[in-house]
Amino acid sequence: MRGILKEFKEFAVRGNVIDLAVGVIIGAAFGKIVTSLVNDIIMPPVGKLLGGIDFSQKIINLDPDVKTAGGQNITTLAQANEAGATVIAYGQFINVMIDFIIVAFCIFMLVKGINYLKRKEHAKPEPKKTTKACKYCLSEIPAAATRCSQCTSQLEAEGSNAPA
């Protein structure tokens, strides 16, 4: 039993588990923000542009025989919940799809930004060449050499056109 507790402790305090927990908590909070953005900021003007539609209340009633307490037909999700009618809440589904698209786009932009920073961080200057090719025998020789070690040809000095 003691071994299992020790193993669990090692697992629980491992860095990636804590990072995952923090990510889940921040993700849940971000999800609430996006849901509020969609329900309270985006959908009211969209509904207004489409003739005053409240998408969150749009339903397809699967129990037409069930009526509200006042005997009226059920036309909103709130009425269906109150009467206990079975409905397809397609308006809620539209809101959730918009939530998903916004979250997916934000995550895409975050990952794109992180990848950009990683590319910049890992981009190293090309190392200075320490060898060069002899123009006579094409063998690799040290870059500072003035005579080829393979064919013994006299080479031009670095940065000049005249032989050294």
Side-chain angles (χ1 to χ4, degrees):
M1 184 67 173
R2 199 169 271 205
I4 291 175
L5 289 175
K6 182 180 177 202
E7 196 174 334
F8 176 73
K9 179 182 170 192
E10 288 173 6
F11 169 77
V13 296
R14 200 179 286 164
N16 54 358
V17 173
I18 293 170
D19 291 345
L20 178 63
V22 169
V24 168
I25 292 166
I26 290 174
F30 182 70
K32 289 180 182 179
I33 291 169
V34 170
T35 299
S36 177
L37 173 71
V38 170
N39 292 337
D40 303 330
I41 307 294
I42 294 174
M43 292 313 286
V46 169
K48 187 76 167 167
L49 289 172
L50 297 175
I53 297 172
D54 180 6
F55 279 99
S56 66
Q57 296 299 316
K58 290 309 211 177
I59 61 167
I60 296 173
N61 188 357
L62 300 177
D63 285 335
D65 298 335
V66 177
K67 306 285 184 196
T68 65
Q72 300 167 330
N73 287 334
I74 294 173
T75 57
T76 67
L77 183 59
Q79 291 172 338
N81 288 338
E82 188 178 305
T86 305
V87 297
I88 296 175
Y90 69 89
Q92 291 284 7
F93 181 73
I94 291 171
N95 284 354
V96 170
M97 289 298 295
I98 293 171
D99 279 359
F100 171 77
I101 290 168
I102 291 171
V103 169
F105 181 73
C106 289
I107 291 172
F108 167 75
M109 294 305 290
L110 180 70
V111 170
K112 189 171 176 66
I114 289 170
N115 287 341
Y116 175 76
L117 291 175
K118 281 184 179 179
R119 274 194 304 269
K120 277 188 120 176
E121 182 180 298
H122 292 300
K124 296 178 183 170
E126 208 173 293
K128 188 175 179 183
K129 285 190 76 172
T130 59
T131 62
K132 63 181 177 183
C134 172
K135 70 179 185 179
Y136 301 104
C137 69
L138 302 178
S139 61
E140 286 291 314
I141 57 173
T146 57
R147 186 174 290 276
C148 178
S149 60
Q150 304 296 316
C151 69
T152 68
S153 296
Q154 187 74 29
L155 302 173
E156 296 173 1
E158 196 72 27
S160 94
N161 292 334

